[in-house]
Amino acid sequence: MREKGIKTLLIVAHSQGATMSSYFLSRNPSDAAGFLAIGMNANQKDADINSAESLKKINIPVLDLYGSNDFARSVGDRGTSQTRRCSQYPVLPAGRGGANHFFDGMNEELLSAVVSWSSRF
């Protein structure tokens, strides 16, 4: 990507992909400027695959976004993972009942949240 002139790399991943990305980023150096996790599972009992634990070790800015009506496993306990002052852990409420895990019918709201956070880079 750098050879093609792309200067800023951001990792954007949803659900299991976000969990896998958090695992990788917590254990490996990265050229990515930031990580946008959407609907990431955060309550695995095994610390090796617990995203809330992985987030503590990630050294780049993080947007950990989930819906107000997301799966319980995606909400989990993020309170202990909020160690990076440049990281954000917003809940995206919208519509009746709030945003679900797939942000159904909320493309504009989801895109707006991602673009707004990404524009800092």
Side-chain angles (χ1 to χ4, degrees):
M1 294 176 83
R2 297 239 189 253
E3 291 174 6
K4 295 183 182 220
I6 297 172
K7 296 178 180 151
T8 304
L9 304 175
L10 299 174
I11 296 173
V12 180
H14 176 260
S15 197
Q16 183 64 28
T19 299
M20 293 166 60
S21 296
S22 71
Y23 177 87
F24 178 83
L25 288 169
S26 71
R27 289 156 177 81
N28 297 282
S30 174
D31 287 339
F35 171 44
L36 292 87
I38 303 169
M40 180 171 57
N41 185 336
N43 65 355
Q44 287 289 335
K45 292 179 182 175
D46 183 344
D48 283 338
I49 56 173
N50 183 311
S51 298
E53 292 299 316
S54 292
L55 286 174
K56 293 177 186 179
K57 301 172 190 168
I58 295 174
N59 294 319
I60 58 176
V62 174
L63 176 67
D64 180 11
L65 180 66
Y66 55 95
S68 60
N69 195 29
D70 208 324
F71 297 138
R73 71 172 191 260
S74 294
V75 176
D77 178 19
R78 283 165 158 78
T80 59
S81 65
Q82 298 183 25
T83 57
R84 300 229 358 111
R85 64 186 168 108
C86 55
S87 299
Q88 297 178 11
Y89 302 82
V91 178
L92 189 61
R96 283 187 263 151
N100 67 19
H101 184 68
F102 301 102
F103 295 85
D104 290 328
M106 296 189 56
N107 291 342
E108 288 183 30
E109 293 89 345
L110 179 60
L111 184 59
S112 176
V114 169
V115 168
S116 174
W117 187 81
S118 301
S119 66
R120 65 166 67 187
F121 300 95

